[in-house]
């Protein structure tokens, strides 16, 4: 059985999934189409070994069109009444540029269609990740009888808007055999937004955390990692480290949160050290966004540090352990891995109450919530005044994460999705 992972294949997530499939589910060969590393960069040979194969899908803009292709295109246009009418209308009105563009566009589509259909004929299951309309375009080329799986990541559900986008998504969902979500709240949002007729297609399946990374966070070297990170970054041992978000996206609310923290009483500002990780995700932001964050940091009356460079595994462990309080207050999310790792490392987590985290509550994970950003004005002083007590309440979080967010414990959900699609309505864990 040959599985093709496609869509927005963020490397670390799909690599972990692929390795789990290859370890636990016999008989599935995994290919990744155009996996992307957060922050950019090409996959190394070693990173590519997470999959049986890595391929690149054809790209329309790279297609070269010959005179023969244009003649073929013209013949095909005249076979279709609507296309023929459009071309002749422009021709009779001496609109030669639209005529030329129509012939070229149709030729490009014919060539692309032939290439992608030939490639797709080699696979049995097509698993689309991140269901934004631009990543669903290739659904139309999948042969009938092939299995199509689609997985929501979060922003593709909560931040896509407009009837044209909804129409494109719904067309793809109608072709899908299975749509996976990782939380009850997300399932209900899908059904409310696109129709309850999709309910029979929805299955629960979650992405597992990186076992090697969790082992590093459970290695007994906690004090060593913290000491090294704090020393390297000149963080006083008496400071309480507050991490704001996990990426360079402005959706992490870096600027808004920094400004709120700067309104705290002086005695609290003297105690905090804010970490702002901008190591990836900036490709979607305006070019001056890092400078705007730096300006707010420079004006803040408390210690700050912006992390911009890619972190090694050792540095990342030091960063995760060194954070005392993690603020996860973006507009939308679907249980991001960085947040779960911070819980595992013993951070005091502050989530937005609007995020779909009922699963964490049902599992018994301890964290704090605010219903608006300004809630930090009261919560941060409370956490600082009761720091040791709040920290002790997180003591069981590590084991809960280990038991519930490793592929060892829910790979059966993915096996059911790929091999038989049977329902897995054990909703207690979702």
């Amino acid at each position: 059985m040959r599985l093709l992972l496609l869509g927005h294949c963020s490397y670390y997530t799909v690599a972990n999934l692929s390795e789990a499939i290859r370890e636990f589910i016999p008989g599935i060969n995994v290919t990744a189409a155009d996996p992307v590393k957060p922050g950019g960069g090409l996959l190394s040979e070693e990173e590519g070994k997470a999959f049986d194969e890595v391929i690149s899908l054809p790209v329309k803009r790279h297609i070269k069109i010959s005179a023969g292709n244009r003649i073929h295109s013209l013949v095909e246009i005249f076979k279709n009444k609507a296309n023929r009418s459009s071309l002749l209308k422009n021709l009779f009105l001496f609109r030669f540029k639209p005529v030329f563009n129509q012939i070229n566009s149709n030729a490009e589509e014919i060539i692309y269609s032939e290439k992608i259909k030939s490639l797709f004929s080699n696979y049995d299951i097509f698993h689309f990740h991140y269901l934004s309309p631009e990543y669903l375009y290739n659904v139309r080329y999948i042969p009938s009888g092939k299995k199509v799986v689609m997985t929501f990541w979060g922003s593709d559900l909560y931040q896509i808007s407009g009837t044209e986008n909804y129409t494109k998504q719904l067309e793809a969902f109608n072709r899908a055999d299975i749509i996976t979500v990782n939380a009850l709240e997300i399932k209900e949002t899908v059904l409310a937004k696109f129709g309850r007729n999709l309910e029979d297609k929805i299955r629960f399946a979650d992405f597992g955390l990186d076992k090697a990374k969790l082992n590093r966070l459970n290695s007994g070297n906690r004090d060593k990692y913290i000491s090294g990170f704090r020393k390297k970054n000149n963080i006083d041992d008496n400071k309480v480290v507050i991490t704001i978000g996990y990426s360079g996206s402005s959706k992490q609310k870096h600027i808004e949160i920094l400004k709120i923290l700067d309104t705290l009483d002086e005695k609290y500002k003297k105690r905090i050290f804010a970490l702002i990780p901008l190591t990836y995700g900036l490709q979607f932001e305006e070019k001056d966004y890092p400078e705007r964050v730096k300006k707010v940091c420079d004006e803040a009356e408390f210690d700050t540090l912006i992390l911009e460079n890619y972190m090694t595994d050792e540095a990342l462990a030091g960063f995760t352990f060194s954070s005392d309080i993690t603020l996860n207050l973006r507009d939308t999310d679907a249980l991001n891995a960085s947040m779960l790792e911070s819980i595992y490392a013993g951070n005091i987590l502050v989530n937005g109450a609007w995020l779909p985290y009922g699963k964490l509550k049902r599992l018994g994970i301890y964290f704090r919530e605010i219903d608006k950003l300004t809630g930090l004005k009261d919560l941060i002083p409370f956490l600082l005044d009761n720091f040791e007590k709040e920290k002790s309440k997180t003591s069981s979080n590590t084991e809960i994460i280990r038991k519930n967010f490793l592929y060892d414990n829910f790979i059966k959900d993915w096996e059911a999705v790929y091999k038989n699609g049977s329902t897995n309505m054990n909703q207690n864990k979702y």
Side-chain angles (χ1 to χ4, degrees):
M1 187 182 297
R2 290 176 60 84
L3 166 67
L4 179 63
L5 306 177
L6 67 171
H8 179 67
C9 291
S10 184
Y11 173 74
Y12 297 107
T13 300
V14 297
N16 286 338
L17 174 61
S18 175
E19 289 175 337
I21 293 169
R22 295 168 71 194
E23 179 180 357
F24 295 109
I25 308 177
I28 297 183
N29 179 286
V30 185
T31 298
D34 303 302
V36 293
K37 293 172 66 174
L42 299 174
L43 262 62
S44 67
E45 182 178 348
E46 187 62 29
E47 288 170 331
K49 291 180 180 177
F51 313 97
D52 292 295
E53 186 181 7
V54 176
I55 64 170
S56 292
L57 298 180
V59 179
K60 276 193 173 184
R61 66 177 179 272
H62 295 161
I63 292 174
K64 297 185 183 301
I65 303 172
S66 67
N69 297 139
R70 292 189 178 93
I71 293 171
H72 182 205
S73 172
L74 191 58
V75 171
E76 292 300 315
I77 287 173
F78 270 89
K79 290 181 180 179
N80 181 283
K81 184 177 179 180
N83 292 339
R84 179 175 68 244
S85 176
S86 175
L87 184 140
L88 290 175
K89 179 180 179 180
N90 284 322
L91 193 61
F92 291 148
L93 294 173
F94 301 103
R95 297 173 181 165
F96 298 118
K97 186 173 182 179
V99 170
F100 186 75
N101 288 342
Q102 184 180 0
I103 293 171
N104 273 359
S105 177
N106 194 59
E108 185 181 75
E109 172 61 24
I110 291 171
I111 296 169
Y112 181 84
S113 175
E114 290 174 350
K115 287 185 175 183
I116 200 76
K117 285 180 179 179
S118 175
L119 189 153
F120 280 180
S121 66
N122 298 317
Y123 300 95
D124 306 297
I125 306 172
F126 298 81
H127 187 171
F128 287 82
H129 293 265
Y130 196 87
L131 309 182
S132 182
E134 63 266 31
Y135 295 115
L136 298 172
Y137 179 79
N138 286 321
V139 173
R140 70 190 68 186
Y141 302 110
I142 297 174
S144 61
K146 302 281 188 175
K147 190 170 191 174
V148 177
V149 177
M150 297 186 178
T151 294
F152 278 105
W153 281 40
S155 297
D156 48 348
L157 176 63
Y158 293 110
Q159 295 187 11
I160 303 297
S161 62
T163 54
E164 184 177 350
N165 285 326
Y166 298 156
T167 298
K168 291 176 180 178
Q169 287 180 303
L170 186 55
E171 287 175 354
F173 301 159
N174 287 333
R175 171 61 181 89
D177 295 287
I178 291 176
I179 300 168
T180 76
V181 297
N182 69 349
L184 281 170
E185 298 96 327
I186 294 176
K187 173 189 172 183
E188 287 305 313
T189 302
V190 172
L191 297 179
K193 193 172 182 178
F194 296 103
R196 303 202 75 85
N197 58 298
L198 294 177
E199 184 163 16
D200 289 344
K201 295 185 177 188
I202 293 181
R203 302 290 184 274
F204 291 102
D206 208 347
F207 294 123
L209 296 176
D210 185 333
K211 188 185 294 187
K213 188 179 290 185
L214 290 196
N215 286 341
R216 195 174 296 110
L217 293 175
N218 198 35
S219 64
N221 292 324
R222 179 189 182 91
D223 292 341
K224 174 185 172 184
Y225 282 131
I226 293 174
S227 175
F229 184 85
R230 284 185 174 248
K231 183 177 180 181
K232 179 182 178 181
N233 294 293
N234 298 313
I235 303 174
D236 189 285
D237 288 342
N238 294 318
K239 295 282 187 178
V240 174
V241 175
I242 300 177
T243 298
I244 303 174
Y246 59 87
S247 76
S249 170
S250 61
K251 294 169 184 174
Q252 303 286 348
K253 307 294 184 183
H254 307 111
I255 291 175
E256 296 90 331
I257 292 171
L258 285 165
K259 288 182 176 180
I260 290 171
L261 294 179
D262 208 31
T263 66
L264 298 180
D265 189 276
E266 187 67 25
K267 69 176 182 178
Y268 295 116
K269 288 192 283 190
K270 287 181 178 180
R271 293 182 59 190
I272 64 176
F273 192 111
L275 287 179
I276 305 96
L278 304 182
T279 53
Y280 69 93
L282 287 168
Q283 68 270 32
F284 305 110
E285 293 300 325
E286 295 179 1
K287 290 183 179 180
D288 69 336
Y289 184 69
E291 292 303 319
R292 286 160 50 204
V293 176
K294 288 177 185 177
K295 184 175 185 296
V296 177
C297 286
D298 290 341
E299 294 172 350
E301 296 180 344
F302 54 91
D303 291 333
T304 62
L305 174 64
I306 295 175
L307 301 171
E308 296 181 276
N309 298 323
Y310 173 81
M311 287 187 276
T312 64
D313 291 341
E314 298 290 309
L316 190 57
F319 160 74
T320 307
F321 272 136
S322 296
S323 179
D324 297 302
I325 300 171
T326 294
L327 306 182
N328 184 54
L329 301 170
R330 57 176 295 160
D331 290 335
T332 62
D333 187 55
L335 296 176
N336 73 82
S338 294
M339 177 206 48
L340 295 174
E341 289 161 7
S342 72
I343 297 174
Y344 188 86
N347 295 186
I348 299 170
L349 178 66
V350 178
N351 282 324
W354 55 87
L355 296 171
Y357 291 166
K359 177 177 180 176
L360 299 183
K361 294 177 183 178
R362 289 188 290 277
L363 289 173
I365 290 174
Y366 181 78
F367 62 95
R368 285 282 180 170
E369 286 184 320
I370 54 175
D371 58 12
K372 53 187 175 181
L373 291 183
T374 53
L376 291 172
K377 292 180 180 180
D378 294 323
L379 181 59
I380 294 300
F382 174 83
L383 294 179
L384 294 175
D385 288 339
N386 299 276
F387 184 73
E388 294 302 328
K389 184 177 180 180
E390 285 295 304
K391 196 77 169 176
S392 68
K393 292 179 181 179
T394 70
S395 59
S396 62
N397 285 354
T398 298
E399 182 60 16
I400 295 173
I401 293 292
R402 189 193 66 76
K403 287 177 63 176
N404 291 279
F405 290 93
L406 286 178
Y407 277 112
D408 310 49
N409 300 304
F410 54 72
I411 191 63
K412 291 294 183 184
D413 293 338
W414 287 109
E415 185 172 17
V417 164
Y418 292 134
K419 288 198 168 182
N420 53 50
S422 61
T423 185
N424 61 338
M425 299 309 287
N426 177 14
Q427 298 184 350
N428 290 334
K429 61 178 179 178
Y430 290 99

